[in-house]
Short mmCIF file of all heavy atoms in Angstrom, two decimals:
data_model
loop_
_atom_site.label_atom_id
_atom_site.label_comp_id
_atom_site.label_asym_id
_atom_site.label_seq_id
_atom_site.Cartn_x
_atom_site.Cartn_y
_atom_site.Cartn_z
N ASP A 172 90.32 37.98 214.75
CA ASP A 172 90.52 36.71 213.99
C ASP A 172 91.32 35.76 214.84
O ASP A 172 92.38 36.16 215.45
CB ASP A 172 91.30 37.00 212.69
CG ASP A 172 90.51 37.64 211.62
OD1 ASP A 172 89.27 37.77 211.82
OD2 ASP A 172 91.02 38.08 210.59
N ILE A 173 90.85 34.57 214.94
CA ILE A 173 91.50 33.61 215.86
C ILE A 173 91.91 32.38 215.03
O ILE A 173 91.22 31.84 214.18
CB ILE A 173 90.51 33.19 216.96
CG1 ILE A 173 90.05 34.43 217.72
CG2 ILE A 173 91.14 32.03 217.83
CD1 ILE A 173 89.85 34.26 219.14
N TRP A 174 93.11 31.88 215.40
CA TRP A 174 93.63 30.58 214.96
C TRP A 174 93.75 29.69 216.14
O TRP A 174 94.29 30.19 217.21
CB TRP A 174 95.01 30.73 214.27
CG TRP A 174 94.87 31.17 212.82
CD1 TRP A 174 94.54 32.39 212.40
CD2 TRP A 174 95.20 30.40 211.68
NE1 TRP A 174 94.54 32.41 211.01
CE2 TRP A 174 94.98 31.23 210.56
CE3 TRP A 174 95.66 29.15 211.50
CZ2 TRP A 174 95.19 30.76 209.25
CZ3 TRP A 174 95.87 28.66 210.24
CH2 TRP A 174 95.62 29.49 209.14
N LEU A 175 93.19 28.49 216.00
CA LEU A 175 93.38 27.56 217.15
C LEU A 175 94.59 26.64 216.78
O LEU A 175 94.72 26.20 215.62
CB LEU A 175 92.20 26.58 217.26
CG LEU A 175 90.84 27.37 217.59
CD1 LEU A 175 89.72 26.34 217.64
CD2 LEU A 175 90.94 28.09 218.89
N VAL A 176 95.45 26.39 217.78
CA VAL A 176 96.56 25.46 217.53
C VAL A 176 96.55 24.47 218.69
O VAL A 176 96.35 24.84 219.84
CB VAL A 176 97.89 26.21 217.42
CG1 VAL A 176 98.30 26.98 218.67
CG2 VAL A 176 99.03 25.32 216.95
N ASP A 177 96.75 23.21 218.33
CA ASP A 177 96.84 22.09 219.29
C ASP A 177 95.42 21.83 219.88
O ASP A 177 95.35 21.19 220.96
CB ASP A 177 97.84 22.36 220.37
CG ASP A 177 98.31 21.04 221.10
OD1 ASP A 177 98.17 19.97 220.48
OD2 ASP A 177 98.74 21.11 222.28
N HIS A 178 94.40 22.24 219.26
CA HIS A 178 93.04 21.92 219.53
C HIS A 178 92.20 22.42 218.34
O HIS A 178 92.55 23.35 217.68
CB HIS A 178 92.48 22.41 220.86
CG HIS A 178 92.55 23.90 221.09
ND1 HIS A 178 91.52 24.62 221.68
CD2 HIS A 178 93.39 24.83 220.69
CE1 HIS A 178 91.84 25.87 221.73
NE2 HIS A 178 92.95 26.05 221.11
N ASN A 179 91.04 21.75 218.14
CA ASN A 179 90.27 22.11 216.95
C ASN A 179 88.88 22.62 217.31
O ASN A 179 88.03 22.79 216.44
CB ASN A 179 90.25 21.02 215.90
CG ASN A 179 89.64 19.70 216.44
OD1 ASN A 179 88.47 19.60 216.65
ND2 ASN A 179 90.49 18.71 216.59
N ALA A 180 88.62 22.80 218.59
CA ALA A 180 87.35 23.45 219.09
C ALA A 180 87.70 24.26 220.29
O ALA A 180 88.48 23.84 221.17
CB ALA A 180 86.35 22.35 219.36
N PRO A 181 87.10 25.40 220.41
CA PRO A 181 87.38 26.25 221.60
C PRO A 181 86.92 25.42 222.90
O PRO A 181 85.88 24.69 222.82
CB PRO A 181 86.54 27.50 221.46
CG PRO A 181 86.25 27.58 220.02
CD PRO A 181 86.22 26.16 219.51
N ALA A 182 87.55 25.68 224.01
CA ALA A 182 87.12 25.08 225.25
C ALA A 182 85.66 25.57 225.53
O ALA A 182 85.27 26.58 225.04
CB ALA A 182 88.04 25.42 226.40
N SER A 183 84.89 24.81 226.33
CA SER A 183 83.51 25.18 226.52
C SER A 183 83.36 26.63 227.03
O SER A 183 82.42 27.32 226.60
CB SER A 183 82.83 24.19 227.49
OG SER A 183 83.53 24.16 228.72
N ARG A 184 84.23 27.05 227.92
CA ARG A 184 84.12 28.41 228.40
C ARG A 184 84.54 29.48 227.34
O ARG A 184 84.37 30.69 227.54
CB ARG A 184 84.93 28.64 229.73
CG ARG A 184 86.34 28.53 229.57
CD ARG A 184 87.02 28.58 230.97
NE ARG A 184 88.43 28.23 230.87
CZ ARG A 184 89.36 29.14 230.73
NH1 ARG A 184 89.07 30.47 230.75
NH2 ARG A 184 90.63 28.77 230.63
N GLN A 185 85.14 28.99 226.28
CA GLN A 185 85.55 29.87 225.18
C GLN A 185 84.74 29.67 223.89
O GLN A 185 85.06 30.06 222.79
CB GLN A 185 87.06 29.73 224.91
CG GLN A 185 87.91 30.04 226.09
CD GLN A 185 89.35 29.71 225.92
OE1 GLN A 185 89.61 28.77 225.11
NE2 GLN A 185 90.18 30.29 226.71
N ALA A 186 83.59 28.96 224.05
CA ALA A 186 82.82 28.59 222.83
C ALA A 186 82.38 29.77 222.04
O ALA A 186 82.15 29.70 220.85
CB ALA A 186 81.61 27.77 223.33
N PHE A 187 82.18 30.94 222.71
CA PHE A 187 81.80 32.19 222.00
C PHE A 187 82.76 32.58 220.93
O PHE A 187 82.43 33.41 220.09
CB PHE A 187 81.59 33.30 223.03
CG PHE A 187 82.87 33.81 223.67
CD1 PHE A 187 83.55 34.87 223.10
CD2 PHE A 187 83.35 33.20 224.86
CE1 PHE A 187 84.71 35.31 223.75
CE2 PHE A 187 84.51 33.60 225.43
CZ PHE A 187 85.20 34.68 224.89
N LEU A 188 83.98 32.06 220.98
CA LEU A 188 85.00 32.35 219.96
C LEU A 188 84.80 31.65 218.65
O LEU A 188 85.42 32.05 217.59
CB LEU A 188 86.37 32.08 220.48
CG LEU A 188 86.83 32.83 221.72
CD1 LEU A 188 88.17 32.29 222.23
CD2 LEU A 188 86.98 34.35 221.45
N GLU A 189 83.99 30.61 218.60
CA GLU A 189 83.87 29.80 217.42
C GLU A 189 83.64 30.55 216.12
O GLU A 189 84.24 30.33 215.09
CB GLU A 189 82.81 28.71 217.60
CG GLU A 189 82.81 27.72 216.45
CD GLU A 189 82.01 26.50 216.80
OE1 GLU A 189 81.70 26.12 217.90
OE2 GLU A 189 81.59 25.90 215.70
N PRO A 190 82.75 31.62 216.09
CA PRO A 190 82.52 32.31 214.87
C PRO A 190 83.79 33.14 214.37
O PRO A 190 83.81 33.56 213.22
CB PRO A 190 81.37 33.31 215.15
CG PRO A 190 80.78 32.82 216.46
CD PRO A 190 81.82 32.00 217.17
N TYR A 191 84.75 33.34 215.25
CA TYR A 191 85.92 34.14 214.95
C TYR A 191 87.09 33.32 214.52
O TYR A 191 88.15 33.85 214.22
CB TYR A 191 86.25 35.06 216.11
CG TYR A 191 85.11 35.90 216.50
CD1 TYR A 191 84.35 35.61 217.65
CD2 TYR A 191 84.72 37.07 215.81
CE1 TYR A 191 83.24 36.37 218.04
CE2 TYR A 191 83.68 37.83 216.21
CZ TYR A 191 82.91 37.46 217.28
OH TYR A 191 81.88 38.23 217.67
N VAL A 192 86.96 32.00 214.52
CA VAL A 192 88.05 31.08 214.19
C VAL A 192 88.20 31.07 212.74
O VAL A 192 87.33 30.72 211.97
CB VAL A 192 87.80 29.67 214.78
CG1 VAL A 192 88.89 28.71 214.28
CG2 VAL A 192 87.77 29.68 216.29
N ARG A 193 89.40 31.55 212.23
CA ARG A 193 89.75 31.64 210.84
C ARG A 193 90.58 30.43 210.45
O ARG A 193 90.71 30.17 209.23
CB ARG A 193 90.49 32.94 210.58
CG ARG A 193 89.70 34.19 210.92
CD ARG A 193 88.41 34.32 210.06
NE ARG A 193 87.66 35.49 210.48
CZ ARG A 193 86.49 35.44 211.11
NH1 ARG A 193 85.98 34.26 211.41
NH2 ARG A 193 85.84 36.53 211.44
N GLY A 194 91.29 29.79 211.41
CA GLY A 194 92.13 28.71 211.00
C GLY A 194 92.42 27.78 212.14
O GLY A 194 92.27 28.15 213.33
N ILE A 195 92.76 26.54 211.89
CA ILE A 195 93.03 25.53 212.87
C ILE A 195 94.26 24.72 212.38
O ILE A 195 94.36 24.29 211.24
CB ILE A 195 91.87 24.58 213.00
CG1 ILE A 195 90.63 25.29 213.46
CG2 ILE A 195 92.22 23.44 213.95
CD1 ILE A 195 89.38 24.49 213.43
N VAL A 196 95.20 24.49 213.32
CA VAL A 196 96.29 23.52 213.06
C VAL A 196 96.27 22.61 214.27
O VAL A 196 96.57 23.09 215.41
CB VAL A 196 97.65 24.22 212.87
CG1 VAL A 196 98.79 23.22 212.71
CG2 VAL A 196 97.62 25.20 211.65
N ASP A 197 96.02 21.38 214.08
CA ASP A 197 95.79 20.50 215.26
C ASP A 197 96.11 18.97 214.90
O ASP A 197 96.01 18.64 213.75
CB ASP A 197 94.33 20.62 215.73
CG ASP A 197 94.08 19.81 217.00
OD1 ASP A 197 95.00 19.74 217.83
OD2 ASP A 197 92.99 19.21 217.08
N HIS A 198 96.45 18.27 215.90
CA HIS A 198 96.84 16.90 215.74
C HIS A 198 95.89 15.91 216.46
O HIS A 198 96.21 14.74 216.61
CB HIS A 198 98.29 16.64 216.24
CG HIS A 198 98.52 16.69 217.66
ND1 HIS A 198 98.89 15.65 218.45
CD2 HIS A 198 98.39 17.72 218.51
CE1 HIS A 198 99.02 16.01 219.68
NE2 HIS A 198 98.73 17.30 219.78
N HIS A 199 94.80 16.44 216.94
CA HIS A 199 93.76 15.58 217.62
C HIS A 199 92.66 15.20 216.65
O HIS A 199 92.56 15.76 215.55
CB HIS A 199 93.21 16.35 218.82
CG HIS A 199 94.20 16.71 219.83
ND1 HIS A 199 94.71 18.02 219.97
CD2 HIS A 199 94.73 16.01 220.82
CE1 HIS A 199 95.52 17.97 220.96
NE2 HIS A 199 95.62 16.82 221.53
N VAL A 200 91.80 14.26 217.10
CA VAL A 200 90.62 13.89 216.28
C VAL A 200 89.70 15.09 216.10
O VAL A 200 89.50 15.83 217.09
CB VAL A 200 89.93 12.73 217.06
CG1 VAL A 200 88.59 12.40 216.36
CG2 VAL A 200 90.78 11.48 217.09
N ASP A 201 89.28 15.27 214.91
CA ASP A 201 88.39 16.41 214.57
C ASP A 201 87.06 16.36 215.32
O ASP A 201 86.36 15.37 215.22
CB ASP A 201 88.13 16.43 213.07
CG ASP A 201 87.48 17.61 212.57
OD1 ASP A 201 87.02 18.44 213.37
OD2 ASP A 201 87.45 17.85 211.36
N GLU A 202 86.80 17.41 216.12
CA GLU A 202 85.55 17.47 216.88
C GLU A 202 84.38 17.98 216.01
O GLU A 202 83.28 18.05 216.53
CB GLU A 202 85.73 18.37 218.11
CG GLU A 202 86.71 17.69 219.12
CD GLU A 202 86.80 18.63 220.40
OE1 GLU A 202 85.74 19.18 220.81
OE2 GLU A 202 87.93 18.73 220.90
N GLY A 203 84.69 18.36 214.76
CA GLY A 203 83.59 18.86 213.90
C GLY A 203 83.08 20.26 214.24
O GLY A 203 81.98 20.59 213.91
N LYS A 204 83.91 21.03 214.90
CA LYS A 204 83.53 22.39 215.27
C LYS A 204 84.28 23.33 214.30
O LYS A 204 85.13 22.96 213.55
CB LYS A 204 83.91 22.76 216.67
CG LYS A 204 83.26 21.77 217.69
CD LYS A 204 81.88 22.15 217.98
CE LYS A 204 81.36 21.30 219.10
NZ LYS A 204 80.04 21.61 219.51
N CYS A 205 83.91 24.62 214.37
CA CYS A 205 84.62 25.64 213.58
C CYS A 205 84.67 25.31 212.13
O CYS A 205 85.71 25.50 211.42
CB CYS A 205 86.01 25.90 214.16
SG CYS A 205 86.04 26.34 215.94
N LEU A 206 83.58 24.83 211.58
CA LEU A 206 83.56 24.40 210.19
C LEU A 206 83.64 25.61 209.26
O LEU A 206 83.97 25.40 208.08
CB LEU A 206 82.31 23.55 209.88
CG LEU A 206 82.24 22.26 210.72
CD1 LEU A 206 80.92 21.58 210.42
CD2 LEU A 206 83.39 21.32 210.41
N GLY A 207 83.44 26.79 209.74
CA GLY A 207 83.57 27.96 208.90
C GLY A 207 84.99 28.49 208.77
O GLY A 207 85.22 29.47 208.06
N ALA A 208 86.00 27.92 209.50
CA ALA A 208 87.34 28.30 209.40
C ALA A 208 87.83 28.17 207.96
O ALA A 208 87.57 27.17 207.28
CB ALA A 208 88.18 27.50 210.36
N LYS A 209 88.59 29.21 207.52
CA LYS A 209 89.11 29.16 206.13
C LYS A 209 90.15 28.05 205.96
O LYS A 209 90.24 27.51 204.87
CB LYS A 209 89.76 30.52 205.79
CG LYS A 209 88.76 31.61 205.63
CD LYS A 209 89.32 32.87 205.06
CE LYS A 209 90.51 33.42 205.90
NZ LYS A 209 91.04 34.68 205.42
N GLU A 210 90.88 27.71 206.95
CA GLU A 210 91.87 26.67 206.92
C GLU A 210 91.76 25.76 208.08
O GLU A 210 91.69 26.13 209.22
CB GLU A 210 93.29 27.30 206.88
CG GLU A 210 94.37 26.31 206.63
CD GLU A 210 95.71 26.89 206.38
OE1 GLU A 210 95.82 28.06 206.02
OE2 GLU A 210 96.72 26.13 206.58
N ARG A 211 91.65 24.49 207.80
CA ARG A 211 91.50 23.45 208.81
C ARG A 211 92.51 22.38 208.59
O ARG A 211 92.22 21.46 207.83
CB ARG A 211 90.07 22.89 208.83
CG ARG A 211 89.01 23.95 209.18
CD ARG A 211 87.59 23.32 209.14
NE ARG A 211 87.31 22.79 210.50
CZ ARG A 211 87.17 21.48 210.77
NH1 ARG A 211 87.34 20.58 209.79
NH2 ARG A 211 86.87 21.08 212.02
N GLN A 212 93.65 22.44 209.20
CA GLN A 212 94.70 21.45 209.03
C GLN A 212 94.62 20.56 210.29
O GLN A 212 95.11 20.90 211.36
CB GLN A 212 96.12 22.09 208.91
CG GLN A 212 97.20 21.01 208.70
CD GLN A 212 98.59 21.60 208.63
OE1 GLN A 212 98.75 22.81 208.78
NE2 GLN A 212 99.55 20.75 208.37
N ILE A 213 93.91 19.45 210.21
CA ILE A 213 93.71 18.56 211.29
C ILE A 213 94.18 17.15 210.89
O ILE A 213 93.53 16.50 210.00
CB ILE A 213 92.23 18.53 211.73
CG1 ILE A 213 91.80 19.93 212.11
CG2 ILE A 213 92.06 17.55 212.93
CD1 ILE A 213 90.26 20.10 212.35
N GLU A 214 95.30 16.76 211.42
CA GLU A 214 95.90 15.42 211.08
C GLU A 214 96.31 14.81 212.43
O GLU A 214 96.99 15.40 213.25
CB GLU A 214 97.10 15.64 210.22
CG GLU A 214 96.84 16.35 208.90
CD GLU A 214 98.07 16.56 208.10
OE1 GLU A 214 99.01 15.70 208.09
OE2 GLU A 214 98.19 17.63 207.52
N VAL A 215 95.97 13.54 212.58
CA VAL A 215 96.34 12.85 213.76
C VAL A 215 97.80 12.36 213.66
O VAL A 215 98.06 11.41 212.93
CB VAL A 215 95.38 11.62 214.05
CG1 VAL A 215 95.75 10.89 215.26
CG2 VAL A 215 93.89 12.12 214.16
N VAL A 216 98.68 13.11 214.32
CA VAL A 216 100.07 12.81 214.41
C VAL A 216 100.50 12.97 215.84
O VAL A 216 99.68 13.38 216.72
CB VAL A 216 100.92 13.73 213.46
CG1 VAL A 216 100.56 13.53 212.00
CG2 VAL A 216 100.75 15.25 213.86
N ALA A 217 101.78 12.60 216.17
CA ALA A 217 102.14 12.61 217.57
C ALA A 217 102.16 13.95 218.26
O ALA A 217 101.92 14.08 219.39
CB ALA A 217 103.51 11.97 217.67
#
Side-chain angles (χ1 to χ4, degrees):
D172 284 352
I173 302 218
W174 278 69
L175 301 179
V176 65
D177 200 24
H178 59 139
N179 59 71
S183 58
R184 66 186 172 93
Q185 297 169 340
F187 67 93
L188 296 174
E189 189 169 336
Y191 305 100
V192 174
R193 301 295 177 251
I195 299 169
V196 178
D197 185 36
H198 70 115
H199 298 101
V200 173
D201 190 347
E202 294 184 38
K204 304 280 186 178
C205 304
L206 298 176
K209 291 190 302 187
E210 187 171 339
R211 299 178 87 249
Q212 181 183 5
I213 302 171
E214 300 175 38
V215 179
V216 297

